[in-house]
Amino acid sequence: MKRLASMGTLLAVLCLGSPARADQLLTSADAASLGFSAAGLARIAPWYQARFDAFSPSEGLVPGAVVAIAKGGQLAYLQAIGFQDRAKTVPMKVNSIFWIASMTKPVTSVAAMILVDDGKLELDAPVARYLPEIGKMPVVTFDPATVQAGLALQKRPMTVRDLLRHTSGVIAPEMDFAFPERGLSDPTTESAIRAIHMVYGWRVVYRREKTLADFVSSLAELPLVHQPGEVHEYGWSSDVLARVVEVASGQPLDQFMQDRIFAPLHMVDTGFFVPKDKLDRLVDSPMPERPPIWDVTTPARLSSGAGGLVSTAPDYLRFCQMLLNGGELDGVRVLTAQAVKQMTTNALPADVRIFGGDEVGARAGTTFGLGFGIRTSPIASWIPGAPGSFGWGGHWGTYFWVDPAEQLIGVEMIQATPGSKARGALAPSGINHLTYGALAVAAPSADAPPVVPATLSAETLADYVGTYDFGGTVSSRDRQGIADGKNGWLGIARFVAMEPDGLKINRPDPGSPASKAGVATGDLVTELDGVPLKGLALADVLSRLRGPANTTVKIKIVRRGQDGASDLTLVRAARRANTVQLQVRVVQDRLVAEAVGVWPILAFEKGKAVPLVAASNDAFSAADDGHTRIAFVRDPVGKVSGLILDPGPWELKAAMIAAGPK
């Protein structure tokens, strides 16, 4: 691994591009003063480097990254890791330039909300007021009885709000057919859906030598795939919105963004192409050649509001800090606080169906605002972060989130081919877990009496030996999937969709209680414990699936191609994510603890046995800089059943899942 630059050097590079002005956004601060563990932050770069070492560039990964973390308006972490070229000859820089793809969408959304603030755009105005041709688009209809497709008029006009929240009915050629939620189960109808998406790809003019106006004109010749306002489907809505911005502002999108966003925020390296004098900082494509439409090395006529921007970690950090500040940065107001609140609040009514992908919806613990995904449920979400956190990612792996509760921002810049194993190994959950796992707990009060070591017998120490499971929780700020025995697992909640008559099972988890009981792909669950699911919202159904481990749930399923319904009984299993676990053992008559799950927790990590000092029976402290306290928990018969790290407001609980040898 190459030697990492010092924070001072990184801060100096951060200010490149605006030498006449000191950067007012972020000032370096000691990690501890921002509530971070320096040792925890130090785990980030090696985590990325290990993945760069595990995959070759031929596997679709540029072997480098830039990670930026800010808290309370101050820089906690900014690091360039690895290389910006596939040949590993050019070291990554903190101001290396990345194609950020769909991280363009939040910027386009901000551009639209600026015009709302200006009074030039109305959220609930018909899009046809600005783009008349859009108002004439019919809507595809499906008759499940005859499996025939037809066309209908729009029940209500598509609005600007619909574009911002992706409920416009406009789709895109690319979609994930693994998660159908349209309420259609007939294979012929699903084939028709696929065909319509393909037609969008064939017929819509979406090329770099064309303009947004050309794009909208060609799009208007096709039908919408959903009635406006009824279904959230991620797609080309942001490009239609980009054209609305052009018409309402009277400026090309790139010029409007430069004048109203990039220049005021001093985002000096953000735009729709990379100038010649900056090409030496452009990170390679993870593929041998860039797709022509995303060739950002030269200007294009198409300024894609959905995916056209390039940027740097420091630039995008400034954009995020403006949002976290309620629309203002360094005394310059870009948006009103009201606009930011609207953008970062759930914008999807309960009756809106979610179609495609797995980033938005009750099963993912998220919803959508006006341009951002918003985290709603720690239990269902696969990434940590306080409810209300918002963010989004890009096609090649760039990613950001903003956590208002913690006043925290994270930006990850990578370039990896979607669908590759390398991309999967660098999923956003990594930087989220590592960041929240680096948050420190409050130090013991100076008035607290010092710990007086106690001597415990070998028999007593043996009681504590075992493996303890924290679920997915790495931080007391987010008790994600906490392992307390209350969250049983059936294995059918992740890949499901609501249909008119019940819950469609797309793929039961292998080895789960559901699959062992005979639940199969394509099954429709019509009842849970005697309660019909017809008409219920997905969130309500998912809550009914949850329950304590070792309890039963009775379901009624209807299987495609079979007459009648079948009754099944499932037993919830203890949820074992194997993500955050601590192993306690005795070494040379001393108790030690080591993380053995996927993620470290506090001072504990893989390969590092931390000695525990007994203060009394069941009470220990770790020999670490954080003075982590451990309280072992016993069940009613006196058997050790779990432990608590740092008992009190910041405590973390774990259940013993396997006792050690006595």
Side-chain angles (χ1 to χ4, degrees):
M1 185 189 309
K2 73 182 185 68
R3 188 173 63 86
L4 300 174
S6 68
M7 184 62 75
T9 301
L10 297 176
L11 286 170
V13 176
L14 175 60
C15 295
L16 289 177
S18 54
R21 176 182 177 278
D23 193 321
Q24 298 299 307
L25 165 60
L26 301 168
T27 55
S28 178
D30 176 68
S33 69
L34 297 179
F36 281 103
S37 157
L41 291 175
R43 295 169 178 156
I44 295 175
W47 184 86
Y48 281 90
Q49 190 63 53
R51 279 141 188 83
F52 298 148
D53 293 341
F55 296 96
S56 69
S58 64
E59 294 176 281
L61 175 67
V62 178
V66 180
V67 177
I69 301 168
K71 195 169 187 296
Q74 292 186 284
L75 187 65
Y77 187 88
L78 178 63
Q79 193 66 272
I81 307 156
F83 299 88
Q84 71 174 37
D85 65 328
R86 300 170 78 243
K88 300 184 181 181
T89 61
V90 182
M92 187 69 77
K93 310 171 186 66
V94 291
N95 63 346
S96 289
I97 300 172
F98 294 75
W99 175 49
I100 62 171
S102 286
M103 277 170 58
T104 304
K105 290 180 173 72
V107 183
T108 301
S109 300
V110 165
M113 295 302 288
I114 289 172
L115 291 170
V116 172
D117 283 342
D118 289 349
K120 296 181 179 180
L121 194 61
E122 293 183 23
L123 279 176
D124 293 312
V127 175
R129 178 186 297 178
Y130 311 97
L131 309 175
E133 61 268 49
I134 291 294
K136 302 174 184 177
M137 296 176 71
V139 183
V140 175
T141 61
F142 294 94
D143 184 343
T146 62
V147 198
Q148 295 294 317
L151 295 175
L153 297 176
Q154 296 179 25
K155 294 179 183 178
R156 69 153 175 82
M158 178 201 307
T159 66
V160 174
R161 189 186 302 272
D162 286 324
L163 294 175
L164 282 156
R165 65 186 187 179
H166 294 274
T167 56
S168 65
V170 173
I171 60 170
E174 306 88 0
M175 65 163 294
D176 191 340
F177 287 101
F179 308 106
E181 292 197 8
R182 195 180 294 269
L184 302 168
S185 57
D186 187 278
T188 305
T189 306
E190 292 181 4
S191 295
I193 294 171
R194 293 172 182 265
I196 291 171
H197 283 78
M198 293 173 67
V199 168
Y200 262 62
W202 295 333
R203 296 280 301 277
V204 175
V205 176
Y206 197 75
R207 298 192 295 271
R208 61 181 286 111
E209 70 273 14
K210 298 295 184 178
T211 65
L212 284 170
D214 297 328
F215 158 73
V216 169
S217 294
S218 65
L219 179 70
E221 296 177 358
L222 296 176
L224 300 175
V225 182
H226 313 285
Q227 285 288 349
E230 292 188 359
V231 177
H232 167 94
E233 181 172 348
Y234 187 67
W236 270 336
S237 291
S238 296
D239 276 311
V240 179
L241 182 66
R243 179 57 183 159
V244 170
V245 169
E246 291 190 329
V247 171
S249 68
Q251 288 183 286
L253 181 69
D254 57 346
Q255 190 60 55
F256 182 82
M257 285 185 173
Q258 178 61 35
D259 292 347
R260 300 297 299 273
I261 301 175
F262 305 149
L265 294 179
H266 294 271
M267 295 171 67
V268 296
D269 291 317
T270 303
F272 287 95
F273 76 100
V274 182
K276 288 184 179 180
D277 62 343
K278 297 181 179 181
L279 283 174
D280 62 330
R281 289 192 280 127
L282 176 62
V283 178
D284 274 0
S285 163
M287 296 170 274
E289 294 184 3
R290 292 181 183 273
I293 193 170
W294 305 125
D295 181 4
V296 294
T297 62
T298 58
R301 294 189 71 201
L302 181 73
S303 295
S304 170
L309 287 177
V310 296
S311 191
T312 64
D315 270 13
Y316 214 88
L317 203 60
R318 295 186 65 81
F319 176 74
C320 293
Q321 190 69 50
M322 176 273 294
L323 294 167
L324 184 56
N325 291 351
E328 177 272 336
L329 182 66
D330 292 345
V332 177
R333 181 156 292 281
V334 174
L335 281 176
T336 62
Q338 179 185 7
V340 175
K341 185 175 181 180
Q342 283 182 294
M343 297 183 76
T344 56
T345 301
N346 175 33
L348 299 180
D351 59 350
V352 169
R353 289 180 292 132
I354 312 296
F355 180 57
D358 207 35
E359 295 84 15
V360 177
R363 65 172 176 237
T366 60
T367 186
F368 207 80
L370 301 182
F372 303 95
I374 303 170
R375 189 169 188 265
T376 56
S377 169
I379 297 298
S381 176
W382 12 89
I383 58 173
S389 299
F390 58 92
W392 205 242
H395 190 61
W396 281 358
T398 56
Y399 168 70
F400 80 97
W401 83 98
V402 179
D403 184 338
E406 289 292 332
Q407 289 289 293
L408 186 150
I409 300 166
V411 177
E412 172 190 73
M413 294 291 199
I414 61 172
Q415 304 279 244
T417 304
S420 64
K421 290 184 178 180
R423 170 69 181 274
L426 286 163
S429 62
I431 186 56
N432 283 83
H433 279 91
L434 290 166
T435 299
Y436 285 96
L439 289 170
V441 297
S445 169
D447 298 327
V451 175
V452 178
T455 301
L456 301 181
S457 67
E459 292 77 11
T460 300
L461 292 180
D463 287 344
Y464 309 122
V465 173
T467 302
Y468 297 81
D469 186 76
F470 292 83
T473 301
V474 293
S475 167
S476 56
R477 270 70 159 191
D478 176 25
R479 305 174 195 280
Q480 182 190 15
I482 187 167
D484 56 4
K486 296 179 181 178
N487 297 309
W489 176 61
L490 291 172
I492 55 175
R494 290 185 63 192
F495 306 113
V496 292
M498 284 307 299
E499 295 197 352
D501 294 323
L503 185 74
K504 172 76 170 293
I505 306 299
N506 182 264
R507 188 173 74 223
D509 291 346
S512 66
S515 62
K516 290 178 180 178
V519 178
T521 296
D523 285 351
L524 187 73
V525 181
T526 59
E527 290 184 10
L528 284 175
D529 289 329
V531 177
L533 302 188
K534 185 175 182 177
L536 295 182
L538 177 60
D540 187 25
V541 175
L542 292 179
S543 69
R544 291 172 181 269
L545 289 174
R546 300 186 189 111
N550 302 316
T551 57
T552 61
V553 57
K554 295 181 178 180
I555 68 173
K556 187 182 292 292
I557 65 168
V558 175
R559 182 158 295 166
R560 182 185 297 170
Q562 295 184 3
D563 295 329
S566 301
D567 294 313
L568 296 175
T569 298
L570 282 62
V571 180
R572 297 180 179 94
R575 187 172 182 173
R576 299 289 173 242
N578 192 34
T579 54
V580 186
Q581 294 184 350
L582 201 64
Q583 186 181 81
V584 176
R585 60 184 188 273
V586 176
V587 177
Q588 296 180 349
D589 298 326
R590 294 192 65 181
L591 209 61
V592 300
E594 176 185 339
V596 292
V598 175
W599 305 110
I601 181 168
L602 298 181
F604 308 105
E605 55 188 85
K606 283 187 177 180
K608 179 183 176 182
V610 178
L612 305 181
V613 179
S616 63
N617 280 359
D618 297 343
F620 291 75
S621 64
D624 68 307
D625 293 340
H627 306 289
T628 303
R629 292 167 293 127
I630 297 180
F632 288 94
V633 178
R634 296 179 182 270
D635 62 19
V637 298
K639 183 180 178 181
V640 174
S641 60
L643 62 78
I644 301 174
L645 297 181
D646 293 312
W650 304 111
E651 67 186 23
L652 289 163
K653 295 181 179 179
M656 179 186 276
I657 59 172
K662 301 299 183 182

